[in-house]
Amino acid sequence: MFRWRHRLNGQAYSLLRAVYDPNTGHAVAVVSELADSPAHGITYDFADVADAALPLLRANLSPHLASLLWIAHFGDFSSHDPGGPETFTAIALKVEGDGYRDDDQGDRRLTADEVTRLFHGRPLAPVPDVLAGLEPLT
């Protein structure tokens, strides 16, 4: 879990899961929108999501990440489509001087199988199961 500030809606938090390949320096980060976050709409402000998550990824995976694939994740645990199908969207961010920029160009849907392959064949655990094992944010 990590906190970030939504440009339009204020304080928010999301679930962040990532995998890193030290041989290539490549990482994949899945950010799940959570229904009980005080602000919603991660795809409307994904650049700020990535700016907040990047230091955590560098601290916990590697300070020398060569590249990152960012994925927005929604499902019955989020506000985007409560009760709807689980969806994954690869977000094409551009790096600018002091952070990321998202112009919504190049975003594309991924299947759960594609995400599993990106996570080296390990399917993502269901969000409620992951949340049940975490300490609450304070």
Side-chain angles (χ1 to χ4, degrees), residues 49-79:
V49 171
D51 285 338
L54 184 58
L56 298 170
L57 294 172
R58 285 190 170 138
N60 291 288
L61 299 177
S62 171
H64 308 290
L65 294 174
S67 64
L68 265 160
L69 172 61
W70 294 99
I71 300 172
H73 180 213
F74 299 95
D76 59 4
F77 48 82
S78 66
S79 65

Side-chain angles (χ1 to χ4, degrees), residues 13-119:
Y13 57 86
S14 299
L15 177 63
L16 172 65
R17 294 180 277 180
V19 64
Y20 173 69
D21 183 344
N23 295 321
T24 64
H26 180 74
V28 177
V30 173
V31 179
S32 303
E33 181 174 275
L34 304 175
D36 60 352
S37 175
H40 300 115
I42 63 174
T43 55
Y44 296 118
D45 194 19
F46 209 88
D48 285 340
V49 171
D51 285 338
L54 184 58
L56 298 170
L57 294 172
R58 285 190 170 138
N60 291 288
L61 299 177
S62 171
H64 308 290
L65 294 174
S67 64
L68 265 160
L69 172 61
W70 294 99
I71 300 172
H73 180 213
F74 299 95
D76 59 4
F77 48 82
S78 66
S79 65
H80 176 70
D81 191 8
E86 186 173 39
T87 61
F88 299 92
T89 303
I91 307 293
L93 296 175
K94 293 176 177 54
V95 178
E96 292 199 340
D98 61 346
Y100 286 105
R101 186 173 64 85
D102 184 7
D103 60 8
D104 298 324
Q105 300 292 318
D107 294 356
R108 63 184 175 87
R109 284 285 176 99
L110 300 173
T111 66
D113 288 340
E114 288 173 307
V115 174
T116 295
R117 282 192 294 279
L118 290 168
F119 271 69

